[in-house]
């Protein structure tokens, strides 16, 4: 049975049980501070479990894209090494929101596995929660009885809290669970050791395939459990493991989910899978990681140096490193897997096929960048080896290995591998110390303590009125305290709020809550799942009172101008550059708008002007805003509304239109009543932020006027400085030409001066035992001259060892140059020597064994440098 059919049978089975199929939510999580990536199928339904929202259907099923590489569920280091862990994986699941519970979930799971998929019953084992004294929970005898009516008691295990109590994170919905395991060993092995004894013991052939979670509790910040408002079912079945079991394979990677990709890697690398464990691991890493990389990019997360973007970059680099080290890939190769990925997953996840070219471009550029980094890191390793050869040590300091990891992206195992090949080892203890220091710094920077919610009013309805009003009479439903690097603050949830919560690139509103003489400042407004959370500086004296909630009008007005201009900009870019333009991110605040979009070339000045002119023309047309709320999403798409990749849309959406033939977008943000309100639009910059992604920054209204007036004022100042010439451009060109001529004259003078300086230095060379020494301080005009003369001296003087000192631009500079023959015969290293000499000028430097430079702060130390150099190299006089 093929993988696609297995997936379809799951969906059709639960449709027959009156479940509504729900598309996968994006793999990158937005509006949830507790998660970076979707790590389970239940993430998009979290609000239903918490009672913050009401589901439109009580029974749903889907195949969810998941990523587990950070936080509580982190499988990255196991990926590729074993045969069943993955970074990105599909989780097949069925959910009940206050509808059916344990009995139906258990019976349907058994029916699907044994009657539909025909998995052998004698290979299946189940586990139930065995209780936990710490949480005061008894054994789940209810689940046990339901299972015992289907399977013999000797196939049911009572599991620990670790194995049979599911929690999404440190806090949140949780509950006891029943896992279904399958024994895939051959009959001989099964006869020797019962599968019962191997369940949850990390045996690669006795694996969990399905977890039935019975959501009953909410884990609070203080660690206690609170009963959820209703009981729910949340099941998750690893699609890749299920396919392996049905196709009777010994590894997930042997199934048709992965085998086409491994075959392609075999073809491109010229190596066969199954012949060598190192190359096998490399292939598994690559075919797993390309899915995680591609799906996250498709959902709007580009590789970067922070947060979610850094995780994706790390995964990509791990794949490149394995391909480079074990498969001989010296050039980008991952991007070539994209057509096959689109072919295999385009039906269930169409975003991959729709963005295939864009994803490939981003991946290729990231690969090329890291391969250059690898090359630089290898050169750094060579330098380290040269320095260590002077001391005779064979152990690389852990701090040095950590620098390679932190600066060049070299994982410890890669550094260890290269070191071993050259007869060295790594001090792993000191490496781990440095790693722990970094983790401690990261934890301290990100640490936030969040208290539990304190309920003030038992009102579950939260209404946003900010589309129509800038103030409202509001009550506080609940509040909690938070503590982070900004100090102690509070979060409030209001029953009615005019405050827009940060979303879709638009920043959250600020303002205040007022009751009588008491005023509470609203510092920010954000979304936590679907809950609008207001950040305030202090708690009201009496949270139960009614408050006037008012938005900062000027900030909102400027932000709205920029947001509506972003829609006009998006449409104008499509018109000028082409339909391939897709939004890849945005920031809209009161100061500016920032718009990231897919495009593979730098915009020309003509294109920028054309886009700007189109937007300003639409502003002058004063197009009325057409806002439609609660539009069925299919109807909105038929109208041509632009939907953004990586956004999760519900069944009903809000459509924002400025001229139905120009700009129609799905958007939850706040906008101007008509385009004329924006006043003016001016592009400030256009730049590249990633492969295939450009960024435009622009300003509107008063900010645009200030920018233009500022430029005009500057132009006027320049004209006055040049005595108001008739042709300003010609006048400036004349100045530039004159400057260039003067620069050439100065360079000629420097050359003449340098020639005289070199001749003077040559006279100071002292020959001792066939070695020519030079220790001198001279007036070098600049650092380039210091370097140039150093090499000229070496070329004109055999067996030269020269230490040169100078004051350049008010700062001390030193240079060492050594003839290559002496580097080999005398074991000299300019880079090592100069680090010691630089201490005399309170500086540092480095370089190659034959040439090195250093700068410092203490000019008075230059004579000491020369004196110390003579003493350090004195031994050479006698050899």
């Amino acid at each position: 049975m093929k993988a696609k059919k297995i997936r379809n049978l799951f969906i059709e089975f639960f449709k027959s049980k009156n479940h509504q199929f729900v598309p996968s939510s994006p793999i990158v999580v937005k509006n949830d501070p507790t998660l970076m990536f979707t790590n389970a199928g239940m993430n998009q339904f979290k609000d239903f479990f918490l009672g913050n929202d009401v589901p439109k259907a009580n029974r749903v099923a889907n195949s969810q894209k998941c990523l587990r590489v950070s936080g509580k569920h982190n499988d990255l280091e196991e990926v590729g090494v074993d045969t069943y862990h993955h970074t990105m994986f599909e989780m097949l699941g069925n959910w009940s929101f206050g509808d059916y519970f344990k009995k139906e979930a258990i019976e349907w799971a058994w029916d699907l596995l044994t009657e539909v998929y025909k998995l052998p019953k004698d290979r299946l084992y189940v586990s139930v929660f065995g209780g936990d004294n710490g949480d005061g929970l008894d054994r789940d005898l209810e689940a046990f009885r339901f299972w015992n009516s289907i399977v013999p008691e000797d196939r049911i295990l009572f599991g620990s809290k670790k194995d049979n109590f599911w929690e999404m994170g440190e806090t949140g919905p949780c509950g006891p669970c029943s896992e279904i395991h399958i024994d895939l060993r051959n009959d001989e092995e099964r006869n020797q050791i019962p599968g019962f004894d191997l369940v949850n013991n990390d045996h690669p052939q006795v694996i969990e395939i399905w977890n039935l979670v019975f959501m009953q509790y909410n884990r609070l910040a203080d660690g206690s459990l609170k009963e959820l408002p209703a009981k729910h079912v949340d099941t998750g079945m690893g699609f890749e493991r299920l396919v392996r079991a049905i196709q009777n394979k010994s590894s997930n990677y042997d199934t048709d989910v992965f085998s086409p990709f491994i075959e392609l890697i075999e073809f491109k690398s010229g190596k066969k899978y199954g012949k060598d464990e190192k190359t096998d691991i490399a292939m598994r890493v690559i075919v797993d990681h390309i899915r995680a990389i591609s799906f996250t990019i498709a959902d709007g997360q580009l590789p970067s140096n922070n947060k979610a973007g850094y995780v994706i970059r790390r995964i990509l680099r791990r794949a490149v490193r394995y391909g480079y080290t074990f498969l001989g890939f010296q050039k980008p190769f991952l991007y070539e897997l994209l057509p096959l990925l689109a072919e295999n997953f385009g039906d269930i996840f169409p975003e991959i096929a729709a963005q295939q070219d864009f994803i490939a471009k981003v991946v290729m550029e990231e690969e090329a960048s890291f391969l250059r980094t690898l090359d630089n890191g290898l050169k750094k390793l060579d330098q380290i080896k040269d320095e260590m050869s002077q001391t005779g040590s064979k152990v690389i300091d852990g701090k040095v290995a950590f620098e390679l990891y932190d600066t060049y992206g070299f994982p410890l195992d890669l550094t260890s591998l290269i070191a071993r090949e050259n007869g060295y080892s790594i001090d792993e203890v000191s490496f781990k110390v440095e790693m722990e220091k970094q983790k401690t710094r990261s934890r301290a920077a990100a640490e936030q303590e969040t208290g539990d919610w304190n309920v003030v009013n038992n009102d579950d309805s939260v209404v946003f009125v900010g589309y129509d009003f800038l103030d409202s009479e509001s009550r506080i439903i609940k509040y909690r305290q938070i503590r982070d690097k900004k100090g102690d603050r509070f979060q409030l949830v209001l029953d009615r709020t005019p405050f827009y919560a940060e979303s879709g690139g638009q920043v959250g509103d600020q303002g205040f809550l007022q009751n009588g003489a008491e005023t509470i400042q609203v510092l920010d407004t954000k979304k936590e799942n679907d809950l609008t959370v207001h950040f305030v500086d202090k708690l009201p004296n009496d949270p139960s009172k009614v408050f006037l909630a008012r938005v900062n009008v000027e900030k909102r007005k400027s932000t709205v101008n920029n947001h509506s201009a972003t829609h006009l900009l998006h449409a104008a870019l499509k018109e000028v550059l082409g339909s391939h333009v897709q939004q890849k991110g945005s920031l809209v605040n009161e100061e500016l708008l920032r718009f990231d979009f897919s495009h593979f070339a730098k915009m020309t000045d003509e294109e920028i002007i054309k886009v700007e002119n189109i937007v300003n023309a639409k502003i002058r047309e004063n197009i009325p805003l057409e806002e439609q709320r609660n539009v069925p999403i299919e109807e909105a798409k038929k109208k041509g509304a632009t939907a953004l990749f990586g956004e999760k849309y519900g069944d009903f959406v809000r459509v924002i239109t400025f001229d139905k033939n120009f700009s129609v977008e799905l958007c939850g943000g706040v906008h101007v009543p008509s385009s004329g309100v924006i006043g003016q639009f001016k592009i400030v910059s256009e730049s590249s932020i990633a492969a295939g992604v450009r960024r435009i920054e622009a300003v509107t209204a008063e900010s645009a006027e200030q920018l233009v007036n500022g430029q005009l004022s500057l132009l006027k100042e320049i004209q006055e400085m040049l005595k108001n010439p008739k042709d300003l451009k010609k006048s400036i060109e004349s100045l530039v030409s004159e400057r260039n001529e003067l620069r050439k004259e100065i360079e000629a003078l420097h050359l003449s001066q340098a020639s005289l300086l070199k001749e003077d230095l040559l006279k100071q060379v002292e020959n001792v035992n066939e070695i020519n020494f030079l220790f001198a301080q001279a007036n070098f005009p600049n650092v380039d001259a210091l370097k140039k003369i150093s090499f000229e001296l070496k070329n004109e003087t055999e067996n030269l060892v020269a230490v040169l000192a100078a004051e350049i631009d008010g700062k001390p500079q030193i240079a060492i140059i050594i003839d290559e023959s002496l580097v080999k015969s005398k074991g000299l290293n300019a880079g090592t020597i100069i680090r010691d000499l630089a201490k005399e000028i309170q500086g540092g430097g480095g370089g190659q064994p034959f040439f090195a430079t250093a700068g410092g702060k203490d000019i008075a130390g230059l004579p000491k440098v020369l004196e110390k150099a003579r003493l350090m190299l004195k031994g050479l006089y006698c050899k």
Side-chain angles (χ1 to χ4, degrees):
M1 190 184 298
K2 296 292 185 181
K4 288 185 179 180
K5 184 176 181 181
I6 292 170
R7 185 194 292 116
N8 289 337
L9 281 175
F10 179 90
I11 294 168
E12 293 305 318
F13 177 85
F14 282 102
K15 280 185 177 179
S16 73
K17 306 297 182 187
N18 299 317
H19 287 63
Q20 178 180 318
F21 176 74
V22 177
S24 171
S25 64
I27 204 168
V28 182
V29 174
K30 299 177 181 178
N31 304 326
D32 188 342
T34 67
L35 288 173
M36 187 179 291
F37 299 104
T38 297
N39 64 1
M42 62 79 66
N43 291 165
Q44 66 171 303
F45 308 122
K46 187 175 175 181
D47 274 336
F48 301 157
F49 297 134
L50 289 171
N52 294 335
D53 199 3
V54 179
K56 295 179 177 64
N58 289 331
R59 299 181 181 189
V60 300
N62 84 340
S63 181
Q64 173 66 50
K65 299 173 292 186
C66 297
L67 190 68
R68 289 187 179 176
V69 288
S70 59
K72 179 181 173 67
H73 301 288
N74 187 347
D75 297 335
L76 181 59
E77 296 309 317
E78 284 79 30
V79 174
V81 178
D82 64 26
T83 59
Y84 55 93
H85 277 103
H86 301 288
T87 49
M88 180 266 168
F89 61 97
E90 285 185 62
M91 185 169 282
L92 303 172
N94 59 287
W95 287 268
S96 164
F97 307 120
D99 189 2
Y100 63 84
F101 201 44
K102 296 179 183 179
K103 182 177 186 297
E104 293 85 351
I106 289 170
E107 290 175 350
W108 289 339
W110 189 256
D111 187 30
L112 177 61
L113 292 177
T114 61
E115 301 302 323
V116 177
Y117 290 138
K118 306 295 183 184
L119 288 174
K121 297 178 181 179
D122 65 338
R123 289 179 174 270
L124 295 174
Y125 295 86
V126 298
S127 62
V128 297
F129 179 52
D132 183 76
N133 291 331
D135 281 329
L137 298 174
D138 294 328
R139 294 195 300 175
D140 190 355
L141 294 177
E142 181 184 14
F144 174 82
R145 285 193 292 270
F146 289 134
W147 276 119
N148 200 20
S149 67
I150 299 172
V151 300
E153 189 171 336
D154 62 2
R155 291 189 168 272
I156 307 174
L157 302 83
F158 280 104
S160 65
K161 176 183 175 181
K162 174 180 176 292
D163 293 323
N164 284 93
F165 193 88
W166 199 91
E167 301 190 61
M168 188 180 67
E170 298 300 325
T171 61
C174 55
C177 61
S178 284
E179 297 177 337
I180 305 173
H181 300 255
I182 189 165
D183 186 349
L184 298 173
R185 297 174 300 154
N186 60 42
D187 290 339
E188 182 181 349
E189 291 175 307
R190 291 172 65 212
N191 289 333
Q192 290 176 353
I193 303 175
F196 187 96
D197 296 337
L198 299 176
V199 169
N200 280 330
N201 281 314
D202 294 324
H203 193 287
Q205 300 299 321
V206 182
I207 57 173
E208 172 200 342
I209 56 173
W210 205 349
N211 191 7
L212 315 180
V213 180
F214 310 119
M215 290 288 187
Q216 298 176 241
Y217 307 104
N218 183 28
R219 177 75 69 181
L220 302 180
D222 63 4
S224 63
L225 295 174
K226 181 181 179 182
E227 287 274 354
L228 288 171
K231 294 180 179 180
H232 314 285
V233 170
D234 159 27
T235 85
M237 177 153 56
F239 173 63
E240 294 79 6
R241 293 188 184 188
L242 174 65
V243 175
R244 169 184 169 184
I246 293 172
Q247 294 182 357
N248 196 26
K249 302 293 185 180
S250 59
S251 163
N252 291 8
Y253 295 93
D254 294 336
T255 68
D256 67 331
V257 176
F258 294 100
S259 57
F261 298 90
I262 289 177
E263 290 168 6
L264 184 56
I265 293 294
E266 285 180 313
F267 173 76
K268 290 187 175 296
S269 68
K271 300 182 185 296
K272 292 296 293 180
Y273 185 71
K275 298 293 185 182
D276 179 84
E277 181 63 14
K278 289 181 179 178
T279 55
D280 287 357
I281 290 174
M283 290 186 190
R284 290 196 292 265
V285 166
I286 290 165
V287 300
D288 170 273
H289 286 11
I290 188 59
R291 302 197 314 163
I293 297 160
S294 301
F295 277 99
T296 46
I297 293 173
D299 279 346
Q301 180 57 64
L302 296 171
S304 68
N305 283 331
N306 50 54
K307 297 183 179 179
Y310 177 72
V311 174
I312 303 311
R313 177 166 282 168
R314 181 182 171 208
I315 295 172
L316 187 147
R317 290 183 168 189
R318 188 171 187 258
V320 173
R321 188 256 302 180
Y322 269 96
Y324 180 93
T325 305
F326 300 107
L327 300 177
F329 288 121
Q330 304 293 312
K331 295 180 180 179
F333 63 94
L334 283 173
Y335 77 98
E336 295 177 335
L337 299 175
L338 260 296
L340 189 59
L341 195 71
E343 179 185 333
N344 279 264
F345 292 94
D347 55 342
I348 186 70
F349 305 121
E351 60 273 17
I352 288 291
Q355 301 181 83
Q356 178 183 326
D357 292 342
F358 170 73
I359 298 167
K361 179 73 173 177
V362 173
V363 172
M364 182 182 70
E365 290 294 333
E366 279 287 321
E367 288 186 86
S369 174
F370 183 53
L371 285 169
R372 289 192 293 271
T373 300
L374 271 175
D375 188 53
N376 292 334
L378 290 171
K379 288 177 182 176
K380 176 69 175 176
L381 266 175
D382 288 338
Q383 182 182 334
I384 292 166
K385 288 185 294 181
D386 287 339
E387 293 173 0
M388 290 179 65
S389 67
Q390 306 299 312
T391 64
S393 172
K394 290 292 183 181
V395 180
I396 297 175
D397 191 335
K399 290 184 178 180
V400 174
F402 182 78
E403 180 190 351
L404 285 165
Y405 165 81
D406 200 36
T407 305
Y408 297 97
F410 269 44
L412 179 62
D413 52 356
L414 176 59
T415 306
S416 298
L417 174 69
I418 297 170
R420 286 196 303 272
E421 289 174 350
N422 291 274
Y424 294 89
S425 62
I426 307 291
D427 181 356
E428 295 193 16
V429 173
S430 58
F431 176 88
K432 290 176 181 176
V433 169
E434 295 301 314
M435 179 66 83
E436 191 54 42
K437 286 180 183 177
Q438 186 195 60
K439 289 180 178 177
T440 301
R441 289 192 296 269
S442 298
R443 281 194 295 267
E447 190 172 353
Q448 175 176 302
E449 295 179 22
T450 303
D452 292 320
W453 288 111
N454 297 281
V455 177
V456 179
N457 291 296
N458 289 313
D459 186 348
D460 293 333
S461 61
V462 178
V463 181
F464 174 64
V465 298
Y467 292 138
D468 306 304
F469 304 101
L470 292 174
D471 55 42
S472 68
E473 287 192 349
S474 305
R475 291 182 179 273
I476 297 173
I477 294 177
K478 54 186 178 181
Y479 68 88
R480 68 184 177 190
Q481 185 174 9
I482 62 169
R483 177 176 296 161
D484 56 20
K485 59 186 178 182
K486 293 181 180 179
D488 288 351
R489 292 174 294 158
F490 293 86
Q491 295 177 335
L492 310 177
V493 176
L494 306 176
D495 63 344
R496 291 171 59 83
T497 179
F499 293 91
Y500 180 80
E502 179 182 325
S503 184
Q506 181 175 332
V507 298
D509 280 330
Q510 295 176 341
F512 62 83
L513 304 177
Q514 191 173 60
N515 178 277
E518 184 179 30
T519 300
I520 308 295
Q521 295 298 322
V522 176
L523 308 173
D524 199 359
T525 313
K526 292 182 181 293
K527 277 191 175 182
E528 184 171 315
N529 301 301
D530 286 330
L531 205 61
T532 298
V533 178
H534 307 76
F535 290 72
V536 297
D537 59 345
K538 61 182 180 180
L539 270 182
N541 295 326
D542 184 355
S544 66
K545 289 185 175 180
V546 176
F547 292 86
L548 169 66
R550 176 165 290 168
V551 171
N552 181 321
V553 176
E554 289 305 313
K555 181 175 183 292
R556 165 74 84 86
K557 177 184 173 184
S558 299
T559 302
V560 164
N561 285 338
N562 287 331
H563 195 164
S564 296
T566 303
H567 283 226
L568 302 180
L569 170 62
H570 192 183
L573 285 167
K574 284 179 176 288
E575 188 172 308
V576 173
L577 302 179
S579 59
H580 66 278
V581 168
Q582 294 287 341
Q583 181 175 333
K584 293 299 173 186
S586 70
L587 170 67
V588 179
N589 60 27
E590 70 275 23
E591 296 175 353
L592 55 79
L593 66 91
R594 191 176 72 200
F595 188 75
D596 302 337
F597 59 99
S598 54
H599 187 55
F600 297 116
K602 176 180 172 61
M603 289 180 68
T604 65
D605 291 341
E606 292 76 12
E607 288 170 335
I608 292 173
I609 291 170
K610 193 171 182 180
V611 166
E612 197 174 83
N613 288 343
I614 290 172
V615 174
N616 280 313
K618 293 298 179 183
I619 290 172
R620 288 192 296 272
E621 285 180 33
N622 198 24
I623 305 164
L625 166 69
E626 182 183 341
E627 178 203 22
Q628 296 171 286
R629 303 178 192 176
N630 297 316
V631 179
I633 189 164
E634 292 305 320
E635 181 183 326
K637 288 179 179 178
K638 287 178 183 177
K639 291 181 177 182
T642 300
L644 305 182
F645 290 113
E647 291 290 336
K648 177 65 177 175
Y649 297 104
D651 296 330
F652 295 88
V653 293
R654 183 167 173 262
V655 181
I656 296 297
T657 302
F658 288 102
D659 182 348
K660 65 181 179 181
N661 297 315
F662 184 67
S663 173
V664 184
E665 292 195 27
L666 305 183
C667 180
V670 189
H671 290 274
V672 295
S674 61
S675 64
V677 175
I678 300 170
Q680 187 177 358
F681 172 83
K682 186 68 182 173
I683 292 176
V684 176
S685 66
E686 189 272 351
S687 60
S688 171
I689 62 164
V693 181
R694 309 296 300 178
R695 169 173 290 173
I696 280 179
E697 290 193 354
V699 290
T700 64
E702 291 87 351
S703 296
E705 290 177 7
Q706 290 169 8
L707 176 67
V708 172
N709 289 336
Q711 293 297 309
L712 289 173
S713 177
L714 177 62
L715 185 62
K716 185 178 180 182
E717 288 179 27
I718 293 171
Q719 286 177 316
E720 290 173 352
M721 289 171 63
L722 297 175
K723 310 300 183 185
N724 295 307
K726 292 181 179 180
D727 190 334
L728 180 61
K729 181 181 177 184
K730 187 175 180 179
S731 181
I732 292 173
E733 285 174 347
S734 177
L735 277 175
V736 171
S737 177
E738 185 179 331
R739 186 198 64 176
N740 290 338
E741 290 299 320
L742 288 171
R743 183 174 285 173
K744 288 177 183 178
E745 290 180 21
I746 291 170
E747 287 175 358
L749 286 171
H750 281 167
L751 285 173
S752 176
Q753 184 183 2
S755 179
L756 292 172
L757 180 59
K758 183 182 70 175
E759 294 302 320
D760 183 57
L761 290 170
L762 284 170
K763 294 175 184 177
Q764 300 180 50
V765 173
E766 179 182 4
N767 184 282
V768 180
N769 294 336
E770 299 183 353
I771 298 176
N772 289 306
F773 291 94
L774 175 61
F775 304 95
Q777 181 172 345
N779 295 319
F780 293 92
N782 51 50
V783 174
D784 288 339
L786 175 61
K787 181 178 179 180
K788 183 174 184 293
I789 291 174
S790 295
F791 277 94
E792 287 181 358
L793 289 169
K794 182 174 77 74
N795 292 336
E796 296 179 25
T797 310
E798 292 184 350
N799 295 334
L800 179 67
V801 176
V803 179
L804 302 175
E807 178 185 339
I808 299 174
D809 295 330
K811 294 182 179 180
Q813 295 283 340
I814 54 178
I816 301 176
I817 194 155
I818 304 173
D819 192 279
E820 283 89 343
S821 63
L822 296 178
V823 170
K824 293 179 181 178
S825 64
K826 301 296 183 180
L828 296 177
N829 189 307
T832 304
I833 296 169
I834 207 161
R835 276 193 283 273
D836 195 6
L837 295 180
K839 295 175 184 176
E840 302 299 328
I841 57 172
Q842 297 180 26
Q848 297 170 293
F850 62 88
F851 180 72
T853 60
K857 301 175 183 176
D858 185 9
I859 296 172
L862 288 175
K864 297 178 184 178
V865 168
L866 298 176
E867 181 182 351
K868 188 172 184 179
R870 287 178 183 275
L871 292 173
M872 288 176 67
L873 298 166
K874 187 176 180 180
L876 291 172
Y877 286 82
C878 305
K879 292 182 182 178

